[in-house]
Amino acid sequence: MPGTCLAPGLYNWALSVERLAALIRERQPCVVLTGAGVSTESGIPDFRSPGGIWARYDPMEYATIEAFRRDAVKVWDFYGRRLDVLATAEPNAAHEALAALERDGLVLAIVTQNIDRLHERAGSRDVVEVHGSIRTASCLSCGWKSTFDEVLQQLRYAPAPTCPACGSVLKPDVVMFGELLPVEAVDRAVELAQTAGVLLVVGSSLAVFPVAALPETTLRSGGAIAIVNAEPTPFDDEAEVVIHAPAGETLAAVRRLLAPVPGT
């Protein structure tokens, strides 16, 4: 029944997991939409929870393109602290389960709001990064790109990484407030949401547009949505399955139920 949440208690959690596994099996193709909550179990803090990044840093001072142009070194002080965490973070059970489900042909693609590369490192092959990635940093003056490792190396000795070609401060290739999302990635995300038999939302509060509109796109196209998130979302009442529980434990259990049986 849409809108039913069966998370409280071990029995109800197990029943919810079984329903989610059945939904993924029966309503192919499955597209996954992930947010910051899928990576918190890897030690990466989220943004919007009471203890998240924006509770400690004003996004208007550290995460807008205007702030970068005004004081790039200050912005890099913020990003440099995050890169130290991202450099040592490892994929968790949720990332691993989604990669395994893709290998098994049960997940078509992952649309992610995250910039941490953990889906890729876990082995997922079709990942649509709608908010960019820390994989590279670019020079806004001449277009030079430096890799994540090159940026980390510079940050060991300087407050901000600079372009080796022209000396300008590099900008991390993440989408800042005030910038447009990458058109190609957004178009692909919408296309996937339109074709999804089920859109599985993991670790997203569904509060940031235009990505927050993807569940509505799936519903209008006749697909179902399922949600695994610690907190309620605006789409809980319209979801076939809602599980308010840790993503790693939940998705690992789903994958065990859907794993191919040896010899069959």
Side-chain angles (χ1 to χ4, degrees):
M1 176 180 178
T4 300
C5 177
L6 298 171
L10 181 60
Y11 173 78
N12 285 338
W13 175 83
L15 183 59
S16 297
V17 166
E18 290 179 3
R19 292 185 60 214
L20 178 55
L23 191 67
I24 293 172
R25 183 188 300 112
E26 296 164 6
R27 297 291 295 271
Q28 286 289 312
C30 174
V31 174
V32 181
L33 169 61
T34 66
V38 81
S39 293
T40 54
E41 293 173 52
S42 293
I44 299 175
D46 66 5
F47 289 88
R48 296 175 182 277
S49 70
I53 290 174
W54 297 149
R56 292 175 285 125
Y57 291 91
D58 182 351
M60 295 300 103
E61 289 190 35
Y62 295 95
T64 69
I65 188 61
E66 291 81 8
F68 179 82
R69 290 182 171 130
R70 184 171 59 248
D71 191 343
V73 172
K74 178 180 178 179
V75 171
W76 267 108
D77 179 64
F78 165 72
Y79 274 99
R81 297 170 192 269
R82 292 193 65 209
L83 290 186
D84 284 340
V85 175
L86 296 174
T88 57
E90 295 293 335
N92 62 53
H95 299 105
E96 301 285 356
L98 292 174
L101 289 171
E102 183 188 24
R103 289 194 300 272
D104 295 341
L106 292 168
V107 163
L108 176 62
I110 296 173
V111 177
T112 187
Q113 298 170 278
N114 299 334
I115 52 93
D116 53 36
R117 308 176 303 161
L118 292 181
H119 285 302
E120 175 187 318
R121 290 176 55 200
S124 293
R125 292 163 295 191
D126 195 346
V127 181
V128 183
E129 297 168 320
V130 291
H131 289 170
S133 172
I134 58 157
R135 189 177 296 102
T136 55
S138 296
C139 177
L140 299 183
S141 299
C142 72
W144 179 278
K145 282 188 179 288
S146 290
T147 67
F148 179 76
D149 289 339
E150 290 168 342
V151 168
L152 281 180
Q153 182 67 22
Q154 284 205 47
L155 288 174
R156 291 190 178 97
Y157 306 102
T162 55
C163 173
C166 73
S168 299
V169 176
L170 298 173
K171 175 191 170 295
D173 284 335
V174 300
V175 179
M176 294 181 171
F177 293 113
E179 290 188 294
L180 296 176
L181 271 61
V183 174
E184 184 176 342
V186 172
D187 287 349
R188 178 89 196 289
V190 171
E191 178 185 356
L192 286 167
Q194 289 172 334
T195 60
V198 57
L199 179 69
L200 171 57
V201 180
V202 183
S204 175
S205 61
L206 297 174
V208 179
F209 287 85
V211 174
L214 293 178
E216 183 62 37
T217 299
T218 297
L219 291 171
R220 285 200 312 266
S221 301
I225 58 173
I227 297 172
V228 178
N229 194 54
E231 303 295 332
T233 80
F235 282 91
D236 282 11
D237 288 342
E238 299 178 77
E240 294 288 336
V241 180
V242 178
I243 303 177
H244 294 154
E249 180 183 13
T250 299
L251 293 183
V254 168
R255 200 272 162 161
R256 286 194 295 271
L257 289 173
L258 293 172
V261 177
T264 62

